[in-house]
Structure formats: structure tokens, C-alpha cells
Amino acid sequence: MPQITNPILPGFNPDPSILRVGDDYYIATSTFEWFPGVQIHHSKDLANWELVTRPLTRKSQLDMRGDPDSCGVWAPCLTHDGEKFWLVYTDVKRKDGSFKDAHNYIVWADSIEGPWSDPIYVNSSGFDPSLFHDDDGKKWFVNMLWDHRTRPLLFAGIALQQFDPVAGKLVGPVKNIYQGTDLKLVEGPHLYKRNGYYYLLTAEGGTAYDHACTFARSRHIEGPYETHPDQHILTSKDAPLAALQRAGHGDIVETPEGRTYLVHLAGRPTTQERRCVLGRETAIQEAYWGEDDWLYVKNGPVPSLHVEVPGTRDEARYWAEQRYTFENGLHQDFQWLRTPETERIFKAENGRLTLFGRESIGSWFEQALVARRQTHFSYDAETVVDFAATDERTMAGLTAYYSRYNFFYLAVTAHSDGQRELLLMSSEMSWPDGKLRFPAEPVQIPATGKVRLALTIRGRKLQFFYAMEGEALKAIGPVLDASILSDECGGHQAHGSFTGAFVGMAAHDLNGTASPAHFDYFIYRPQHDPSDRYEV
């Protein structure tokens, strides 16, 4: 069989839940504070994947205004019971400190494209929920349990309870079925049944560099569960030089031919400081069932960079330039932050995208920022903006963005006297000392006229450019450090930032007058760079 190079879903696609229905494979991944919620990709061959839907599209399903960075939609689980698709997800409202407010929901649909139902609220006892359809017709809900007392464990174990789909609620007793291993931080549960065993796949060690997939089994769904003789069937924690780091949080799928694969999240650090600018991505490993009825990862437990799968990846498509115009609305590659009320922040019509300036960049409530994932270590981006800035509180332009803690923003704005200017800003909570920076002196520009804005990223080197109409691009500001747009610099400890770098268009109006900014197009152009360790 042909080999592919991991990851299969590059750039911010963590916590994969995989499903096969007939000859069709689907993977659901977390989207955190980015709206619409949950990405679902489709494949026929495990090599080529296409985004087919983001099912959480309306206010009744998801409203993340006020959710802090790296909160929102965590660890979805996508399943099929022979009749319909089921999607389980968490909306996290608070994650920092001793307490977590993590609300779990279920939606369903007859087809993967939807329409998807309004949600059933399930519980809030912990996150990473999963739904298991047993062969006797019963449905079981599992999620990790959070114990703010840490008595004895903060991640207290995996809770199991029966779900009644007719009543739309959990029924019967709650049982803590598995507390994990000495690696601790047990989460991400998925249940399976095979050869008379119930199998429980969990994530342990936190989502940073000690992450792992831990496997256990029992003859009874309520346990007791016996841990795999190797404990962790997948991990990079003891292999610091492995290409795929942070490996864990997996799910299992069988091909029609009976081959077994494990999908999992992983990160690809590219700097000496081990920063993963592309966030946590989805990779795949071949696995097999041993004669002892335990699952093993081929050449594991360290994940392989190159893996045999049924298909051959279309590399030309991966490297193709993407030029986005807005005649037919907003392309599905783009997302925005938190709000389901899209009409308040943008409209795409008459061949251009209009953003209505709202709150400041980094707001956890309502800001007009529309962006796409960074999926390559090196790329160019470009747009043209028409914006009549009136003072220093109105701004619109091009941003390379991770969170309120880490961003770069080249904005058309104005001085307090009304003179338009270009202003280059970097993170208000910039790593490591938390100050808004201005890496270059402002550049005065004419009072009217469109402005072309561009940036190049080559590994960790970021350079911004600008031009007025009819002029050539010229550099503005110094070369900046793009590597801070990473989980490791996201404003939290190692286990606390979960997304990835984006690039896109933004507008902000701190006067509250919703000033419109008009964008003609957006270009994302991947670049081969010999210094990129993985893209060969």
C-alpha cells in the first residue's frame, strides 16, 4: 500500500473522533472558540480529506460569547447507530483555576451534511463526552469527571451512565469505571466492543509533551477495567526527538478489509523552544489486534511520521494557492470568533467582504475577525482593504492571530487628528511580559484609497508589507517572531492553550459605531522552504 506523511489533517485539528459508514470515513475535531463549531472531514481512502460540514451553526446549538481563549467546543465524538449520526460535544465556559464549567450536549442528523438537531443538554460533570451504541440497543454516555478538591485526583476518572434517546436524558446510576494509570489526567474516553470485551481508550498525561493513549478492557461495560500490559499504546513522551510530539487523544476505526487504524492528535515543534505553531493536528497510525485480544500500534508506541493507508494523497492540492473572493459568500475555510450572530460582524456580497468593526482585537465577546487556519509552516497572505478610519479607535486590516495573548495586526487606522496611517501592533499580552507593542513607527497614508496588505511567514520569520493602489509592496516594520503564535506561548501553562495560528481579516471600532471595512479578496499561498523540517 502507498505511504502518506502525517498529519492527515494539518493545522489546528485536534481531538479526532473517527467513524466509518460503509465506504465513507468521517473525522470530527475540536474548534474551541472558533465558530461554527466542530469540523467534520470526509475521506474515501484515509489519505485525502475534505471539510464537509461544521454542524453547530446557530445560536440554539452554540453561543460562545464570553468563552475565554481555548474554551468553547472541546473534544467532539461522532458516531452512527445504523440509522442516524450522533455528535456529542462540550461547550467550556471556564477552564482556568480550580473549577471548570463544562456543559455537554448531544445533537443528531440523518445525513452528515445535516440539518443537525437542536441540542439536548446532558450534564456538566466533566468534559470530553462520548456516546457508545451497544449491540443490545442501549446507549451509554461517558465523560471524564472533574474534582475541584483534587481528592484524590483532579481528573477523577471516567463516568458511565445510560442515555435514553426517547426521554432525551441520562438515566440510572453514575459509575466511575476507570481512574487511569500513574500518568494521571485521564480524559478523552471512547468505548468499543470486540470479542466479548468492552474496550476503553483514554487520553492521559495532559495534552502537552507527556500526552498518551491508554487502553483498558473489561468483560462488563461497568468494569472493572484492566489496563493494557503496555499501559500506553501510543505516546511520544519518552521520545523527545520523534517528529510527532504531544501524541495522544485517539480513536479507532476498522476498514472494510479489516485493517485497524488509530487517529490521534500530535504536534510538530519547529523551534528550539519546542513551539507548535500549527497547533495540535490529526495524525494516523496503523494498528493491529494481537492474539491476546489487545490492540497494538504498528512500530509503536512512538507514532510514525510515514504510514501505509489505502489511498495516495493529492500533494498538488495541498500546495495550491488559495484565492478567495466573495461573490458566493464566505468560503468554508474561514471561521470567526464565538458569535452565532454573523450579521453583526460581516456580510459577503457584491464580490467583497464587509466587516463591521466591533470590540477590540482579542475580545472574548464580539469582534469582527474572519480568518483561516495556518496549515503550512511557510506561506504568503494578502488582501486589499478599503476603510475610512476616523481616529485611533477605528482600525481594520490583516492579522496573524492565535489568541488575545498572541497576535500581530497591521491595521489601517488614523491618528487623533484624523490623518490616516498604518499601525503595526503585536500582542497586548505578548509573550512573555504582557505589553502591547508597536514594532514600527506609524506610516502616514492618503486620506482615501484602498490599501494592499500582505505578510510572509518563513518558519518563525514574519514580515509585513503594504502598498497603495498602483504601487509595489514595501516592507513595514522588522522581521517578527511568528513562533509565538503557538500553544506553548498562548498565555497559559503547557496544558492550557489548545488552538493554532490563523491568518485573516479584521475590523475593530472602539467608538462603538460599527465602522465598515471592505475587503476585495484574500490570498493564502503555501511556500516550500528548505528550512521547514517536515514539509519535504
Side-chain angles (χ1 to χ4, degrees), residues 142 160 175-179 191-192 197-201 215-228 294:
V142 287
L160 173 77
K175 186 175 177 72
N176 189 334
I177 60 171
Y178 187 65
Q179 288 73 53
L191 276 168
Y192 316 89
Y197 283 106
Y198 290 94
Y199 290 92
L200 180 64
L201 179 62
F215 211 44
R217 73 183 182 190
S218 173
R219 291 291 187 182
H220 307 282
I221 195 167
E222 294 182 348
Y225 280 81
E226 163 196 13
T227 299
H228 193 287
W294 282 111

Side-chain angles (χ1 to χ4, degrees), residues 76-217:
C77 174
L78 181 66
T79 58
H80 195 272
D81 65 359
E83 296 183 358
K84 62 180 67 173
F85 291 92
W86 297 83
L87 181 70
V88 187
Y89 63 97
T90 308
D91 180 9
V92 178
K93 300 298 184 184
R94 173 188 174 178
K95 73 175 183 64
D96 292 334
S98 299
F99 292 96
K100 278 188 171 49
D101 295 307
H103 308 314
N104 296 321
Y105 301 92
I106 297 176
V107 294
W108 60 90
D110 292 327
S111 70
I112 198 72
E113 294 85 5
W116 288 81
S117 71
D118 279 345
I120 291 173
Y121 167 74
V122 184
N123 67 16
S124 300
S125 58
F127 47 86
D128 292 2
S130 183
L131 188 64
F132 171 66
H133 312 281
D134 208 342
D135 51 18
D136 63 1
K138 291 181 179 178
K139 299 184 187 298
W140 296 90
F141 191 87
V142 287
N143 63 266
M144 66 78 67
L145 283 169
W146 183 263
D147 188 345
H148 57 275
R149 308 166 306 164
T150 315
R151 199 164 75 200
L153 297 168
L154 193 62
F155 288 65
I158 303 302
L160 173 77
Q161 192 173 8
Q162 189 176 345
F163 174 70
D164 184 338
V166 176
K169 63 180 182 180
L170 298 176
V171 295
V174 182
K175 186 175 177 72
N176 189 334
I177 60 171
Y178 187 65
Q179 288 73 53
T181 72
D182 55 4
L183 189 56
K184 298 183 180 179
L185 308 180
V186 63
E187 57 185 343
H190 290 290
L191 276 168
Y192 316 89
K193 193 174 186 180
R194 181 183 185 273
N195 287 355
Y197 283 106
Y198 290 94
Y199 290 92
L200 180 64
L201 179 62
T202 65
E204 287 194 291
T207 196
Y209 289 88
D210 288 330
H211 210 23
C213 287
T214 303
F215 211 44
R217 73 183 182 190

Side-chain angles (χ1 to χ4, degrees), residues 256-297:
E257 297 76 28
R259 299 177 76 99
T260 303
Y261 286 91
L262 172 76
V263 294
H264 62 95
L265 69 80
R268 293 180 288 169
T270 58
T271 66
Q272 187 175 5
E273 303 93 337
R274 302 183 94 191
R275 294 175 180 174
C276 298
V277 175
L278 301 189
R280 300 175 305 153
E281 307 169 283
T282 289
I284 192 168
Q285 305 297 325
E286 188 173 359
Y288 62 93
W289 292 96
E291 294 182 359
D292 56 2
D293 275 330
W294 282 111
L295 186 72
Y296 297 87
V297 170

Side-chain angles (χ1 to χ4, degrees), residues 461-482:
K461 297 178 180 179
L462 166 61
Q463 178 69 65
F464 278 96
F465 301 84
Y466 78 97
M468 301 304 296
E469 287 186 280
E471 297 179 355
L473 286 171
K474 62 189 77 172
I476 179 171
V479 174
L480 301 167
D481 184 3

